[in-house]
Every structure is written in structure tokens, then in C-alpha cells.
């Protein structure tokens, strides 16, 4: 189940970057579950990782290896991603397995082990099936390719409970040259990223210096992946990587940076929204716009309070115009000096709340009409300032419970 029609886009070649997949049988036979991304020498790599204190072993190792590469003035050369097993909550054994994976792939590819970054997604608390994983590495390397099909196969190879591969691509005019940005992501449940998303890998042929690449990743993640929620849970394995191969146009001037930032934000936002549209059991795609807040943080607090309310989410699933649930959620957001008389709440084109209560123009028929739609916008104006924020979320259906009740079976 997913909301809306989303097709995997055509992906232009990014010179020097190749992707390969394998069917290693990590959890289920006969499906792609191991991905390798080869990065050309001289490329710059930036990363954003989960803030969950129980971060997975591959997150710890990837952060260490990335820091070592950057300290030497080098970039990572290979990313290796497995699905079916998160290698989280696995202690020293998990760290050893993540490092062993890097060492074996490095040996096969002829690069230093520290230039390999590992990523995992799947069930928490179970050891990696190392024999199967390591046996799949040669197949993944042999299948390395730069074409559009390789991007889609990689997008399929990182999925868990997702129902479809998620990709986004833009081509930007940079003077007389062009710059391409391609990206894939995965995520369907355990979605309330506190840095990025479950897993996302974005690459560009642009020539960008490392400090700027780090800044652009942080800025665009903050307004994309950090603005989505399916169930309010932050994963142990979240990671978002941005690769700049340097084979294309330079991004240095203010104008070039602005053009590139806008394109990158578009890719990040499309990937983030694709995760919400494919949320576990989702039947509704919901945009929460909070306006007239004193600060952006305040606007996000209100938006996420509504997004995480089980009562609001189940009303959305039922297409029940129970607007009091939205009002109650806004009222319990962690704001100080909240004047409810200044708040307005709109459901699509229908005014729900004004002057502290139900809007005089509201009718149950109008509210039910909007709640029955597949894509819904809820606008909340706080009357406290000029800041705002937008968050994307889903409803909460019977299927969400069923999927997670049966997740390990």
C-alpha cells in the first residue's frame, strides 16, 4: 500500500560513479539485498547520521572511516549496504562484523579498508549472517554499472518493508555546463529521522569543496528528511550520504551555490516525501503547515505534536472530520504564553478553528469532504510571529499494526 503514483525516474550517468547489487540471501532468497556503490578517486563525501544513542554498528564504523578519510584529505571509495539485518544492538560482535565486511570488500577492490563505509537496515538485535553477506560481495562488484538500470536496482536492493524503490534526479544549468544530482532512499516504518532518513544516497558530478558540501548536506537534510514522520520512531541506522565526484562544473560562486542548493533541496525533498507516501500502511499523505510562529523550532514542535497524535492519525485514516483532535494536539504542544484566541486551523480549504473555537463557517459536510481525500493539507497559524515550518506525515491504519506485528516472521 502506498499513496499516489510514483515511478522511478530516469537517472543520467554520473561520470566515475558505479552501482552494483547482489542477491546474498541475507533474510530472504531471490531478492536484491546487497548493494555496493563505487566512488571515484578524488570525490568528496559528506554524511549525516542518526542521533539514536543505540546507533548501529555500521553507523559507528562509517562515521569513524569517514573521519579518517577526511583527516587524510581523501574521500571514501566504496559504500556497502545490506538489507534484512540492521546489525544494531549487537555489541562488539556487530562492530567486528561491520569492520570485517569493510576489510573484505576493500581486499576485493584493492583499496584501504578505511575507505569503505558500511550501512545496514532490517531487524535489530540479530547478528549479521556473515558467510552469506561476504559471499555476495564479489557478485555485487562484478555487476557494477553506471547506467540508469543500476540506480533502480540499487534502489530496490536497499528496501525492507518498502513497497517500491524511491529515486529522484535533477539536471541543473550551470553557465555553459550542466550538473546532475541523483538520489535513492529507503524507509517505510520507524520514521522520525533525527538527522536524515532511514537510508539515503545522493550523488552529483559537481565539483564542490568539502566544507561547502558538508554545509549543503546539513541545510537540505534539515528541511527534508528532518521534516517527515510516519510513526515518531527514530531508527538506530539512519544515514544520509552526499557524494560529489568533481567531474562536472564547479560550484563556488554565490549564484552557483544558490542554483545547486535549490536543486539538491528538490532531490532531498522528493526522496523524503517518497518515504512518507510509502509509509507502512499509509492511505493518506498529509502536509502540516505551521505559520506565524515565533521561531522555526516552535513551528516544528507544533507540527510534530499533531503529526504524532494517534488520535489525529486514526481520524485521518477513518476520514473522520473530528477536528477537535487537531485542536487538542495543537494545544498540548510545548509552547509558552500560548494565546489560543489567535490560532486558526484550516483543513484544506475549510476553516476549522478561529477565536478559540469552531469557526462559524464550518460544516461537518465540508470537513468530511476534505478528510476523504488521499492528500490532505492542514494549516495552523499561531499568531505569534513570522516563522514557519512544513512537516509531512501519514495516517495510522490497521495495516501499520499488522505489518509491525508480523515484522520478524
Amino acid at each position: 500500500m502506498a499513496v499516489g503514483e510514483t515511478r522511478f525516474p530516469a537517472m543520467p550517468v554520473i561520470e566515475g560513479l558505479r552501482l552494483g547489487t547482489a542477491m546474498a540471501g541475507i533474510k530472504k532468497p531471490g531478492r536484491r539485498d546487497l548493494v555496493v556503490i563505487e566512488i571515484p578517486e578524488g570525490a568528496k563525501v559528506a554524511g549525516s547520521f542518526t542521533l539514536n544513542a543505540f546507533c548501529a554498528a555500521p553507523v559507528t564504523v562509517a562515521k569513524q572511516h569517514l573521519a579518517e578519510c577526511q583527516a587524510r584529505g581523501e574521500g571514501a571509495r566504496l559504500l556497502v549496504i545490506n538489507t534484512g539485518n540492521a546489525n544494531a544492538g549487537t555489541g562488539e560482535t556487530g562492530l567486528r562484523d561491520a569492520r570485517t565486511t569493510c576489510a573484505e570488500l576493500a581486499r576485493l577492490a584493492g583499496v584501504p579498508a578505511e575507505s569503505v563505509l558500511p550501512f545496514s537496515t532490517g531487524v535489530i538485535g540479530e547478528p549479521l549472517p556473515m558467510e552469506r553477506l561476504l559471499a555476495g560481495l564479489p557478485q555485487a562488484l562484478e555487476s557494477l554499472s553506471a547506467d540508469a538500470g543500476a540506480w533502480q536496482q540499487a534502489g530496490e536492493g536497499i528496501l525492507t518493508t518498502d513497497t517500491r524503490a524511491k529515486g529522484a534526479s535533477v539536471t541543473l544549468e550551470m553557465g555553459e555546463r550542466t550538473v546532475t544530482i541523483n538520489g535513492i532512499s529507503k524507509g517505510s516504518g520507524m520514521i522520525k529521522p533525527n538527522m536524515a532518513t532511514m537510508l539515503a544516497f545522493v550523488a552529483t558530478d559537481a565539483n564542490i569543496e568539502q566544507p561547502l558540501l558538508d554545509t549543503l548536506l546539513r541545510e537540505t537534510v534539515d528541511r527534508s528528511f528532518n521534516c517527515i514522520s510516519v510513526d515518531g520512531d527514530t531508527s538506530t541506522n539512519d544515514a544520509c550520504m552526499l557524494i560529489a565526484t568533481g567531474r562536472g562544473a564547479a560550484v563556488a560562486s554565490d549564484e552557483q551555490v544558490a542554483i545547486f542548493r535549490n536543486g539538491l533541496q528538490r532531490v532531498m525533498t522528493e526522496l523524503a516525501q517518497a518515504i512518507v507516501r510509502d509509509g507502512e500502511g499509509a492511505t493518506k499523505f498529509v502536509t502540516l503547515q505551521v505559520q506565524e510562529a515565533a521561531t522555526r523550532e516552535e513551528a516544528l514542535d507544533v507540527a510534530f505534536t499533531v503529526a504524532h497524535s494517534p488520535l489525529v492519525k486514526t481520524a485521518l485514516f477513518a476520514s473522520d472530520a473530528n477536528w477537535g483532535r487537531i485542536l487538542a494536539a495543537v494545544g498540548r504542544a510545548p509552547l509558552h504564553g500560548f494565546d489560543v484566541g489567535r490560532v486558526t486551523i484550516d483543513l484544506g480549504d475549510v476553516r476549522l478553528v478561529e477565536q478559540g473555537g469552531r469557526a462559524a463557517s464550518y460544516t461537518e459536510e465540508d470537513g468530511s469532504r476534505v478528510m476523504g481525500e488521499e492528500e490532505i493539507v492542514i494549516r495552523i497559524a499561531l499568531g505569534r510571529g513570522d516563522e514557519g515550518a512544513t512537516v509531512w506525515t501519514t495516517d495510522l491504519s490497521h495495516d501499520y499494526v499488522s505489518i509491525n506485528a508480523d515484522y520478524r516472521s
Side-chain angles (χ1 to χ4, degrees), residues 314-343:
T314 50
L316 288 162
F317 170 64
S319 299
D320 178 12
N322 193 344
W323 59 268
R325 293 182 175 184
I326 302 173
L327 176 145
V330 173
R332 66 179 173 83
L335 272 62
H336 300 290
F338 198 6
D339 184 350
V340 298
R342 294 184 175 184
V343 176

Side-chain angles (χ1 to χ4, degrees), residues 16-17 37-47 49 61-80 102 105 111-119 201 210 213 241-245:
L17 192 87
I37 301 177
E38 182 186 62
I39 303 168
E41 189 172 1
K44 305 290 193 304
V45 180
F49 301 91
V61 174
K63 289 167 68 175
Q64 291 172 348
H65 285 188
L66 183 61
E68 291 174 18
C69 287
Q70 292 180 349
R72 296 197 304 265
E74 301 173 358
R77 297 296 310 281
L78 292 164
L79 310 183
V80 55
C102 293
L105 182 58
V111 300
E114 294 77 17
S115 69
V116 181
L117 310 185
F119 304 87
F201 304 97
Q210 188 70 51
L213 194 72
M241 307 304 296
L242 177 59
I243 303 160
T245 66

Side-chain angles (χ1 to χ4, degrees), residues 338-359:
F338 198 6
D339 184 350
V340 298
R342 294 184 175 184
V343 176
T344 62
I345 303 176
D346 295 323
L347 179 67
D349 60 355
V350 178
R351 174 61 52 91
L352 300 178
V353 174
E354 62 187 3
Q355 298 178 351
R358 185 176 68 178

Side-chain angles (χ1 to χ4, degrees), residues 161-287:
T161 58
D162 310 61
T163 68
R164 57 197 184 192
K166 303 166 181 65
S169 179
V170 299
T171 299
L172 308 172
E173 298 296 329
M174 205 72 72
E176 296 181 355
R177 304 184 67 182
T178 61
V179 161
T180 296
I181 307 173
N182 290 346
I184 55 174
S185 67
K186 66 82 49 183
S188 191
M190 199 177 281
I191 304 288
K192 198 283 179 180
N194 200 6
M195 45 55 63
T197 182
M198 298 308 91
L199 289 177
F201 304 97
V202 180
T204 178
D205 54 3
N207 185 355
I208 307 176
E209 293 302 315
Q210 188 70 51
L212 178 57
L213 194 72
D214 293 336
T215 297
L216 290 169
L217 176 63
R218 183 175 62 252
E219 290 176 349
T220 54
V221 159
D222 192 47
R223 293 182 179 269
S224 57
F225 297 122
N226 279 352
C227 289
I228 64 173
S229 179
V230 169
D231 46 26
D233 276 310
T234 296
S235 170
T236 53
N237 292 62
D238 292 352
C240 179
M241 307 304 296
L242 177 59
I243 303 160
T245 66
R247 305 292 180 88
V251 176
S253 70
D254 290 346
E255 181 182 4
Q256 291 168 337
V257 171
I259 293 171
F260 184 84
R261 181 189 288 111
N262 289 339
L264 181 61
Q265 188 69 71
R266 176 180 164 187
V267 168
M268 295 293 197
T269 301
E270 285 186 16
L271 292 174
Q273 290 185 354
I275 288 171
V276 176
R277 291 182 180 279
D278 197 25
E280 289 176 343
T283 69
K284 304 285 178 71
F285 176 83
V286 184
T287 301

